[in-house]
């Protein structure tokens, strides 16, 4: 294994040095501490022993910073919060198309233990209700219960960044009393949605639900999703980004049972709750939240957990549909000749360059490159297209370059090449260069330069050589 499993409390916690973020968490925790609404789940007898007073909040940033208050280190069973993560494992095991043939992605508007299936396809509605989760768990590969649970536990541990254990008593308690889930599994067997290892699938499902976590673990799990599947504490990739996208999609539409619509309206974060009292919520690219408070509302969601997430979303403006318009991508734009490099040339070179002062267009870029910012850049380039012979994109201030930006830049390269105008990429981060050099994409040798200056020199050399040729 290529991971460092961190112990609980690993990561850079700032619990002892309160700053504005921790101050807000403490304030929220304090104001909801006395709220005793809700009832601890008791349909799994062992869960009824939970102390209703326990209350913890943790927030982990997508780069691995932890904030925590209250009982954020107290262990409880993950229950349904395992569902989206195990769904990710099923996607990794079988691919999207196959998993979709077994479990839908439609919000059911039903309670978590609903026994209703999609009548047209006989599939459970989605992987977040028990029926869909049992069918998802049935897809987990492995030879026998122990091996399969080993894989599930390894996955959940990698998400949390530490080795997680299972609560044997909660597992056995649900195994003995989970008749409704057993009935769901039999129906799925009847419809041919799960294979004959019905008891094994159910045991695996009950075991995954009985894995012990803390609110801190939940925040790290959520931050791993926020970080596109790479655990920000261990640096380990847990799930591929395309599976994370699918997981977040179902969390967004179905994660909070029959409260999912209202939740996505008011809180606006992909989330999942569990009857153990936990909730995770994810703001993609930014942070993960984990809350723990055992008393549940009548929909099976942690009462105080919901209040906390509502308030955090409100106070930090975390709603995924809060629109952040794209930042300015072109920091400055100039032509060689306006720059300061030509004075290094000797007299005859300067003379050769004098006639073509504006042949080299330089765009200094900043921020992230994705569809909206690259599209703006392309429009600016297109407007100037007739006037330049060389185009230099200077990216030394650029951050992330996504796949859409890479595709558009490749197309720009091809268009310019067809017009006989070289495109030079200067100061692109090494990782971006590696990504741009995807197999099959033929970038000319003279495309990548360490800096705008070396790229300009290359263009000038061509102009000088061209001038003396002619
Ligand atoms: N193990 C629980 C069940 O299947 C999970 C339910 C939940 O957390 O919502 O009933």
């Amino acid at each position: 294994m290529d991971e460092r499993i961190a112990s609980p409390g690993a990561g850079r916690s700032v619990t002892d040095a309160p700053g504005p973020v921790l101050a807000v968490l403490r304030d929220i925790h304090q104001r909801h501490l006395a709220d005793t609404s809700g009832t601890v789940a008791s349909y799994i007898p062992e869960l009824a022993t939970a102390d209703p007073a326990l209350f913890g909040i943790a927030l982990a940033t997508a780069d691995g910073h932890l904030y925590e208050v209250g009982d954020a280190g107290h262990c409880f069973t993950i229950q349904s919060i395992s569902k989206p993560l195990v769904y990710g494992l099923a996607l990794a095991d079988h691919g999207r198309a196959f998993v979709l043939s077994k479990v839908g992605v439609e919000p059911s508007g039903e309670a978590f233990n609903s026994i209703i299936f999609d009548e047209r396809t006989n599939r459970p509605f989605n992987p977040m209700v028990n029926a869909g989760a049992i069918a998802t768990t049935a897809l987990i590969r492995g030879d026998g219960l122990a091996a399969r649970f080993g894989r599930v536990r390894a996955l959940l541990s990698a998400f949390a960044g530490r080795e997680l254990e299972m609560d044997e008593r909660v597992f056995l308690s649900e195994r003995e009393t989970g008749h409704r889930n057993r009935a769901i599994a039999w129906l799925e067997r009847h419809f041919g949605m799960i294979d004959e290892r019905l008891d094994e699938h159910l045991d695996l499902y009950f075991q995954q639900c009985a894995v012990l976590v803390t609110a801190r673990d939940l925040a790290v799990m959520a931050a791993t999703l926020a970080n596109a599947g790479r655990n920000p504490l261990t640096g380990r990739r847990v799930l591929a980004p395309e599976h994370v996208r699918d997981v977040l999609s179902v969390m967004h539409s179905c994660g909070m049972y029959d409260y999912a619509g209202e939740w996505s309206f008011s809180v606006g974060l992909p989330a999942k709750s569990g009857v153990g009292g936990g909730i995770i919520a994810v703001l993609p690219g930014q942070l993960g939240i984990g809350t723990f408070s055992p008393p549940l509302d009548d929909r099976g969601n942690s009462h105080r957990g919901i209040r906390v997430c509502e308030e955090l979303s409100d106070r930090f403006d975390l709603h995924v549909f809060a629109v952040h318009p794209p930042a300015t991508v072109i920091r400055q734009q100039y032509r060689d000749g306006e720059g300061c490099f030509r004075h290094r040339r000797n007299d005859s070179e300067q003379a050769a360059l004098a006639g073509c002062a504006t042949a080299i267009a330089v765009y200094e870029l900043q921020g992230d490159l994705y569809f909206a910012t690259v599209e703006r850049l392309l429009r600016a380039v297109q407007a100037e297209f007739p006037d330049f012979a060389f185009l230099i994109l200077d990216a030394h201030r650029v951050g992330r370059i996504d796949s859409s930006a890479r595709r558009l830049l490749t197309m720009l390269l091809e268009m310019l090449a067809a017009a006989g105008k070289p495109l030079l990429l200067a100061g692109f981060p090494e990782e971006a260069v590696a990504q741009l050099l995807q197999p099959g994409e033929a970038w000319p040798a003279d495309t990548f330069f360490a800096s705008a200056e070396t790229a300009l020199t290359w263009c000038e050399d061509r102009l000088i050589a061209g001038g003396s040729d002619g």
Side-chain angles (χ1 to χ4, degrees):
M1 273 206 194
D2 59 336
E3 72 183 310
R4 286 173 289 131
I5 295 277
S7 59
R12 289 150 286 147
S13 174
V14 292
T15 314
D16 299 320
V21 176
L22 190 59
V24 170
L25 290 183
R26 282 184 179 167
D27 178 49
I28 293 176
H29 184 264
Q30 194 53 40
R31 281 184 312 99
H32 294 279
L33 195 57
D35 184 349
T36 56
S37 318
T39 323
V40 172
S42 58
Y43 74 100
I44 299 173
E46 196 58 32
L47 290 184
T49 61
D51 176 357
L54 291 166
F55 182 30
I57 308 173
L59 185 153
T61 62
D63 65 349
H65 210 99
L66 266 168
Y67 299 92
E68 45 192 287
V69 290
D71 302 308
H74 185 90
C75 282
F76 57 98
T77 53
I78 187 168
Q79 297 300 336
S80 281
I81 300 168
S82 61
K83 291 173 180 173
L85 310 177
V86 172
Y87 183 61
L89 184 58
L91 288 167
D93 273 1
H94 298 276
R96 197 187 207 204
F98 184 78
V99 174
L100 270 177
S101 73
K102 300 287 180 192
V103 188
V105 287
E106 214 54 64
S108 65
E110 302 286 340
F112 72 97
N113 57 5
S114 162
I115 212 153
I116 300 169
F117 293 78
D118 183 339
E119 273 176 18
R120 287 174 310 116
T121 59
N122 288 334
R123 288 179 312 180
F125 278 101
N126 65 67
M128 303 293 104
V129 289
N130 287 3
I134 292 167
T136 303
T137 296
L139 295 177
I140 298 308
R141 289 193 197 277
D143 192 10
L145 179 63
R148 294 171 75 203
F149 179 62
R151 293 190 66 227
V152 168
R153 196 169 71 88
L155 172 91
L156 299 178
S157 299
F159 262 109
R162 73 178 184 96
E163 206 64 54
L164 300 177
E165 302 297 334
M166 181 193 48
D167 187 325
E168 189 77 20
R169 280 193 310 200
V170 174
F171 160 57
L172 293 175
S173 177
E174 184 165 20
R175 189 184 202 229
E176 258 168 48
T177 55
H179 308 306
R180 194 178 170 102
N181 283 333
R182 224 168 267 284
I184 289 173
W186 275 110
L187 263 181
E188 289 178 338
R189 177 79 193 114
H190 166 75
F191 288 130
M193 285 298 160
I194 63 175
D195 63 41
E196 68 291 346
R197 297 171 297 169
L198 193 134
D199 286 329
E200 182 180 308
H201 298 322
L202 278 167
D203 278 355
L204 181 56
Y205 171 73
F206 296 146
Q207 287 187 345
Q208 84 179 43
C209 288
V211 167
L212 286 164
V213 288
T214 63
R216 183 197 297 143
D217 292 329
L218 294 183
V220 177
M221 289 170 155
T224 301
L225 291 171
N227 192 34
R230 192 181 288 285
N231 183 315
L233 295 191
T234 63
R236 183 188 172 193
R237 168 150 304 289
V238 182
L239 207 58
E242 67 266 26
H243 301 321
V244 170
R245 201 186 64 174
D246 291 344
V247 165
L248 290 174
S249 301
V250 289
M251 284 170 68
H252 190 66
S253 56
C254 320
M256 302 299 281
Y257 307 126
D258 39 340
Y259 187 62
E262 246 179 284
W263 170 275
S264 56
F265 188 79
S266 61
V267 180
L269 295 171
K272 187 72 202 86
S273 66
V275 291
I279 295 181
I280 59 170
V282 182
L283 182 55
Q286 294 197 44
L287 56 91
I289 298 167
T291 64
F292 169 53
S293 171
L296 310 179
D297 62 18
D298 51 8
R299 280 141 155 164
N301 296 316
S302 164
H303 172 80
R304 279 192 296 204
I306 287 197
R307 298 280 95 79
V308 167
C309 291
E310 276 173 353
E311 217 174 310
L312 273 172
S313 170
D314 196 43
R315 284 171 74 164
F316 291 139
D317 199 12
L318 303 182
H319 200 295
V320 277
F321 297 134
V323 179
H324 306 290
T328 309
V329 63
I330 301 172
R331 187 164 189 267
Q332 59 165 330
Q333 173 181 351
Y334 57 90
R335 296 295 175 112
D336 184 35
E338 297 161 6
C340 56
F341 305 126
R342 285 191 180 181
H343 66 276
R344 296 193 193 150
R345 299 284 181 182
N346 65 32
D347 288 349
S348 68
E349 288 173 337
Q350 294 229 17
L353 289 170
C356 43
T358 60
I360 309 168
V362 185
Y363 287 79
E364 190 182 321
L365 311 179
Q366 62 184 4
D368 292 339
L369 300 187
Y370 52 96
F371 177 80
T373 54
V374 174
E375 188 274 337
R376 286 178 189 198
L377 166 69
L378 295 177
R379 257 188 287 150
V381 166
Q382 228 152 344
E384 287 210 77
F385 184 76
D387 303 333
F388 64 76
F390 298 87
L391 174 65
I392 298 174
L393 300 181
D394 176 0
H396 76 277
R397 290 174 194 273
V398 159
R400 194 175 59 91
I401 303 177
D402 80 357
S403 59
S404 144
R406 293 202 298 273
R407 231 167 286 141
L408 290 170
L409 286 176
T410 306
M411 289 172 76
L412 177 66
L413 172 96
E414 286 162 0
M415 283 162 52
L416 290 176
K421 300 185 181 201
L423 169 64
L424 290 79
L425 302 180
F428 271 65
E430 238 167 69
E431 196 185 288
V433 173
Q435 287 173 340
L436 280 162
L437 289 172
Q438 301 267 322
E441 283 166 6
W443 290 84
D446 292 314
T447 301
F448 297 103
F449 290 81
S451 65
E453 184 174 350
T454 51
L456 272 167
T457 305
W458 186 91
C459 297
E460 287 177 2
D461 288 346
R462 294 294 161 297
L463 286 172
I464 292 165
S468 56
D469 286 354

